[in-house]
Amino acid sequence: MGTHCNGPADALLEPSMPLTDVLLNHPDMMEGYPLEYAQSKATGELPYLFKILSVAKALSIQAHPDKCLAERIHGSHPELYKDPNHKPEMALALTQMEALCQFRAPAEIVQFLQTEPEFRALCGETEAQALEDKANPETPCTDELKHLFGSFMRRDQDMVEQQLGLLLDRLSALDQPSDTQQLIQRLSFQYPGDIGCFCPFLLNYVTLQPGEAMFLAANEPHAYLSGDLAECMACSDNVIRSGLTPKFKDVDLLCECLTYQTGAAPIERGQQVDQHTRLFTPPVPEFEMIITSLGSCDEYLTSPNHSPMLTVVVEAAEATVCTEDHPEPLILITGQVFFTPPGIQLKLATKQGGMLSLYSARCNESLK
């Protein structure tokens, strides 16, 4: 949902037209853009891209470039990296959701190096020893982790398959594999022989409950493993992949671009604005996300947003929306998507036994 060239939205008007054309015909609908995106008004582009994902099979181990890197790789390989923009993103769980995110604390990685010999073999003895010697809670070990990850990711395929086979044989003999070991068994079924099957030893394995979110800054490794989620990001489709995928893997670029930040992945639960609204504000200007919820026999008048907003009806029963300019109530149905221009208040209502859940995205109006 948005205006990106790889999947632009259409507005169901008479006649139907691309959302880009609607914005170009009504420049007032593009108020509230971040200063960095003033030029986007000339082409009718939104600063953000909004998606719904349903992950049945793990998505790739990946990262998204920062602005400088995006401009560089788009210039050199436009067939692979389709635009020059960065892609910070936020995942907001619709159902229970599993993900890998950010490097584990060094001490956790060291523990796996000492208990999982197949993982250690892929990392390399020299690199493993260097991380063991340096890892402690008070000393950064960015260089050691970068060297270890680079050595691990560049292992030849024969060795990866051999070590994964040995690991799976060993795990199959365990009475009760750990959660991480069970995840590796599952990933190996989905992606046989893939180096990404070992990544749970390196990256935090997290489970988000519905309504919990995770912000992913540029150059941070991650993978969505299962579940349904709403995802919002800067308007870009740039993805640097390295595992759990049949698609092109740019291993050298991924190893180069990562921040190698370590520690527990931050899970966010949002700010309760009022009885019906929860706000999720990342530290980037392009977007923020909103959950709006109504129960039975509820009425709610939203505050007017100052920037264009896209909304997905996640669940609806006996629910309607209207505005001052369009007072006739519109029945809301699960799966609908609607666009709200700046300055518009939505009057939401439910009847007896009704309910409503909306997930929305707009430009970041909370960032100071």
Side-chain angles (χ1 to χ4, degrees), residues 105 109 137 146 165 199 204 215 219 222 235 251 253 274 317 351:
I109 298 173
K146 183 174 183 178
C199 281
N204 293 290
F215 174 67
N219 302 328
H222 62 278
C235 190
V251 172
L253 183 60
D274 56 36
K351 295 180 181 179

Side-chain angles (χ1 to χ4, degrees), residues 21-44:
D21 291 351
V22 176
L23 296 174
L24 287 172
N25 293 337
H26 301 277
D28 56 307
M29 291 185 177
M30 294 184 282
E31 291 180 2
Y33 275 26
L35 292 176
E36 303 94 315
Y37 286 83
Q39 74 279 5
S40 297
K41 297 180 181 181
T43 51

Side-chain angles (χ1 to χ4, degrees), residues 46-62:
L46 292 173
Y48 59 85
L49 183 60
F50 193 25
K51 298 181 181 181
I52 300 294
L53 301 181
S54 187
V55 183
K57 181 179 180 180
L59 303 183
S60 59
I61 304 292
Q62 60 183 255

Side-chain angles (χ1 to χ4, degrees), residues 97-148:
M97 170 194 161
E98 296 175 289
L100 298 175
C101 176
Q102 191 173 292
F103 284 101
R104 292 176 179 268
E108 293 182 33
I109 298 173
V110 165
Q111 183 176 7
F112 285 125
L113 288 170
Q114 294 172 348
T115 61
E116 313 292 337
E118 304 85 2
F119 171 54
R120 188 182 188 97
L122 290 176
C123 291
E125 184 58 34
T126 300
E127 290 79 7
Q129 187 64 56
L131 188 65
E132 287 172 332
D133 292 345
K134 187 70 178 288
N136 69 68
E138 299 176 1
T139 306
C141 49
T142 303
D143 290 341
E144 290 78 9
L145 181 56
K146 183 174 183 178
H147 291 146
L148 180 140

Side-chain angles (χ1 to χ4, degrees), residues 292-295 313-317 319-320 332 348-350 354-358:
T292 305
S293 305
L294 277 71
V313 182
V314 172
E315 195 171 358
T320 60
L332 293 173
L348 304 168
T350 55
M355 59 83 60
L356 182 63
S357 176
L358 306 177

Side-chain angles (χ1 to χ4, degrees), residues 10 15 47 49 96 136 201 203 293 298 301 304 317 321 332 348:
D10 284 337
L49 183 60
Q96 182 171 289
N136 69 68
F201 292 141
L203 306 180
S293 305
D298 256 345
L301 183 65
V321 62
L332 293 173
L348 304 168

